[in-house]
Amino acid sequence: MMHILGIETSCDETGIAVYSGGKGLLAHRVYSQVKLHAEYGGVVPELASRDHVRKTLPLIRSVLSEAGLRGADIDGVAYTRGPGLVGALLVGAAIGRALAWAWQVPSVGVHHMEGHLLAPLLEEQVPEFPFVALLVSGGHTQLVGVEGVGRYQLLGESLDDAAGEAFDKTAKLMGLPYPGGPELAKLAENGDPKRFKFPRPMTDRPGLDFSFSGLKTFALNTLKQALTEELDVEAVRRLKADIARSFEDAVVDTLIIKCRRAVHETGYKRLILAGGVSANRRLRERIKAVMEQEGGHAYYPRPALCTDNGAMIAYAGWQRLKAGQSEPMQFGVRPRWPMEELPAL
Ligand code: KG4
Ligand code: ZN
């Protein structure tokens, strides 16, 4: 039985996990740097790297002990090679590669988005290949046709902001604390969906690409316009909730329209959602209903495995290591790394 240690340090979360080829996920923990970056309103790369240096080894120790394992029980190490912040990536890569050397086991550098893409396979209901994947994170929005591990065809992507980035920027301009996406979604819960009508960008023309930067501007203009009137505290609170709701509906609707199109074009009956934004409740509910209408099925990971985590890296690494892939002593990271460059298994 193969035990793989997974290390994720591409951005502002230190994620560590152990995946067992026979027993599945044995333990996983995520340390979030949210508090560290909150006062700056966004991720400060240098501070992120320094915090990964402090947190990675202690977190590995506690995950190993939770799994009831020692270093000698680990058969391979997987770490995130990219895409991400270069300094942050280097911490996980250096620690992962060095541990593999010390333990005399192979290591592999995993593509962060492949990690997200394979995360639904960690759940009980495993989607069979082929499927369409909607990857929605803070840095990427992509529709991918997936025939197998490493067999990825990019069907469409965002030409400007990623969906998560649009959530974060819109939250910021409405004065919500970092990280804005989940805060905006919370605010939207009590919003009136009918008060404002937001556009559904790029849905009136063919193709599977996205553009989300206009929605943030639309939200800003809507807010400014409404604030030209004198409003009391309660009215401002309601205004922001209503904008949040219309913004969320616009993003979700736009994603759904393109997902449905991708399902028609590929003829695939399964669709998986992955990446931080796939933790969004409304998106999960809508995509499930739409795939049922299409006579197919939607899959997504539990919310803790939607956002950045070590489990998805351990799992993707296990897939590649068991296929015999590994790397030499010399290692490197790839801050930019197109997923189509990955070798098929
Ligand atoms: O995958 P992830 O954890 O990190 C990246 O690889 O970027 O995704 C983080 C993104 C952030 O933009 C965050 O605001 C967004 O996912 N996010 C959400 C929700 N939870 C996280 N966006 C909307 N609704 C949510 N519930
Ligand atoms: Zn991510």
Side-chain angles (χ1 to χ4, degrees), residues 174-196:
M174 295 219 296
L176 298 176
Y178 157 87
E183 291 289 330
L184 191 77
K186 218 186 294 165
L187 191 60
E189 293 287 333
N190 300 313
D192 173 2
K194 299 226 172 70
R195 178 162 167 201
F196 301 110

Side-chain angles (χ1 to χ4, degrees), residues 124-238:
E124 205 149 301
Q125 242 197 328
V126 177
E128 277 173 39
F129 300 111
F131 52 74
V132 172
L134 174 67
L135 304 180
V136 271
S137 71
H140 295 78
T141 299
Q142 298 180 321
L143 272 165
V144 185
V146 181
E147 285 180 19
V149 178
R151 293 166 68 197
Y152 309 132
Q153 193 199 351
L154 185 64
L155 305 172
E157 65 184 333
S158 180
L159 305 177
D160 42 55
D161 292 353
E165 191 179 0
F167 262 96
D168 295 339
K169 286 179 174 172
T170 303
K172 196 171 184 176
L173 66 84
M174 295 219 296
L176 298 176
Y178 157 87
E183 291 289 330
L184 191 77
K186 218 186 294 165
L187 191 60
E189 293 287 333
N190 300 313
D192 173 2
K194 299 226 172 70
R195 178 162 167 201
F196 301 110
K197 182 75 194 143
F198 276 49
R200 273 48 176 165
M202 290 184 71
T203 52
D204 55 353
R205 59 185 112 157
L208 294 169
D209 288 335
F210 303 92
S211 166
F212 289 113
S213 70
L215 285 178
K216 152 198 76 195
T217 315
F218 198 92
L220 181 61
N221 292 339
T222 308
L223 183 67
K224 275 189 182 158
Q225 174 67 33
L227 288 178
T228 51
E229 272 178 63
E230 192 86 7
L231 298 177
D232 62 25
V233 175
E234 172 55 21
V236 171
R237 197 198 56 75
R238 233 181 307 120

